[in-house]
Amino acid sequence: DKVAIMTEMMELSPEDSSKFWPVYNEYDKELTRLGDQRIAFTRMYADNYGALTDKNATEIVEGLADVDSRRTALLKRFFQKMSQTLNPKLAARFVQVEHQILLIVDLQIASSLPVVE
């Protein structure tokens, strides 16, 4: 679904599309690695939910904050790369659409987790 949304929202010419997708795929591979780390922290929370210690809570929150920081840095780095490959306006559109998709996914994950007791 994400590729379909990105395709529709980017409105790229065939020439721009041939430049965009290789860079996007590179970005998506790196994003997937960060997503795997995020999942690991979410699993840690789920596995320890009933007996969450202060140490676990700190490790999870600091780990997730680190992943979020690296995800923001990744988006910024690929904005620069897209700006050079296409132009800053299309790169900004990529960031805007990607950020919206990430927010929706984050909200779905967050809303499925119980609040820390």
Side-chain angles (χ1 to χ4, degrees):
D1 290 343
K2 186 177 175 186
V3 170
I5 293 168
M6 189 63 70
T7 299
E8 182 179 338
M9 298 303 295
M10 287 302 295
E11 300 176 344
L12 297 169
S13 69
E15 181 183 337
D16 286 342
S17 184
S18 70
K19 296 175 187 175
F20 172 81
W21 287 108
V23 176
Y24 180 83
N25 291 334
E26 182 184 346
Y27 160 81
D28 197 52
K29 284 180 188 175
E30 291 190 42
L31 181 66
T32 298
R33 283 192 284 274
L34 290 175
D36 291 345
Q37 293 171 13
R38 183 183 198 102
I39 289 169
F41 286 112
T42 303
R43 281 196 182 123
M44 183 186 301
Y45 175 66
D47 292 346
N48 294 289
Y49 176 73
L52 194 66
T53 65
D54 290 345
K55 182 180 177 185
N56 293 136
T58 300
E59 184 178 356
I60 292 165
V61 170
E62 288 179 354
L64 287 171
D66 179 60
V67 170
D68 284 346
S69 294
R70 289 186 287 139
R71 187 170 76 176
T72 299
L74 178 69
L75 203 52
K76 184 176 179 182
R77 183 163 49 91
F78 274 86
F79 167 75
Q80 295 298 326
K81 198 166 198 170
M82 290 283 185
S83 292
Q84 293 170 355
T85 303
L86 298 168
N87 62 57
K89 188 175 177 182
L90 285 174
R93 186 181 304 161
F94 153 71
V95 169
Q96 183 180 24
V97 173
E98 183 68 15
H99 182 68
Q100 290 170 352
I101 292 169
L102 291 172
L103 286 172
I104 291 167
V105 171
D106 288 349
L107 180 59
Q108 289 174 336
I109 292 168
S111 66
S112 70
L113 295 174
V115 176
V116 173
E117 292 182 358

